[in-house]
């Protein structure tokens, strides 16, 4: 069984910083990628940032230069450092992890966190 727990978020003034973390635990055979998505009211869920097992990163254009995704390989934990926050960053942020759980054969998983609110008042 593989579990995912995310934490962080909150309310911060425009221009401020917040960080999010997401940990995956359990009988993990291999992690493929971990990412952060967000969904604002009335909007579709969108990719914010993603990091692959090989360390490649991908960012939404709207957060490039302001957000940084990183990963602690030993702990299967990833972090999203959000700087220079804007009101348009206000959304529920969701952690996602894709990989394979141990098994014969390994079983693919695609897990989502419960979501954490990030609010940046305008």
């Amino acid at each position: 069984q593989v579990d995912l727990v995310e934490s962080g978020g909150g309310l911060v003034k425009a221009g401020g910083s917040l960080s999010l973390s997401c940990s995956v635990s359990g009988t993990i055979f291999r992690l493929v990628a971990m990412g952060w998505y967000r969904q604002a009211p009335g909007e579709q869920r969108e990719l914010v940032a993603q990091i692959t097992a090989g360390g490649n990163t991908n960012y939404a254009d709207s957060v490039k230069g302001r957000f940084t995704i990183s990963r602690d390989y030993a702990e299967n934990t990833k972090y999203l450092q959000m700087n220079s926050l804007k009101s348009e960053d206000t959304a529920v942020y969701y952690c996602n992890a894709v990989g394979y759980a141990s098994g014969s054969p390994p079983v693919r998983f695609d897990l989502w966190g419960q979501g954490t609110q990030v609010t940046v008042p305008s």
Side-chain angles (χ1 to χ4, degrees):
Q1 182 177 348
V2 181
D3 296 310
L4 183 153
V5 177
E6 60 183 64
S7 62
L11 186 149
V12 65
K13 293 181 180 179
S17 299
L18 280 176
S19 63
L20 306 177
S21 65
C22 177
S23 296
V24 183
S25 62
T27 53
I28 299 168
F29 175 69
R30 182 168 66 93
L31 275 176
V32 174
M34 297 179 74
W36 288 99
Y37 291 73
R38 68 186 181 188
Q39 188 168 19
E43 302 290 335
Q44 291 189 341
R45 190 173 297 188
E46 63 173 357
L47 175 68
V48 176
Q50 185 182 61
I51 186 167
T52 68
N56 295 318
T57 56
N58 181 36
Y59 295 92
D61 288 342
S62 59
V63 306
K64 284 180 180 177
R66 300 188 297 121
F67 291 12
T68 302
I69 189 170
S70 61
R71 180 179 165 186
D72 180 332
Y73 286 85
E75 299 295 330
N76 285 327
T77 299
K78 72 172 189 292
Y79 307 91
L80 184 68
Q81 178 64 38
M82 304 181 291
N83 298 328
S84 302
L85 282 161
K86 305 175 182 179
S87 58
E88 49 263 46
D89 295 318
T90 295
V92 178
Y93 284 69
Y94 297 90
C95 173
N96 173 253
V98 178
Y100 291 86
S102 297
S104 184
V107 179
R108 185 178 185 276
F109 63 82
D110 186 345
L111 299 177
W112 290 89
Q114 76 279 7
T116 186
Q117 178 71 44
V118 171
T119 302
V120 187
S122 55

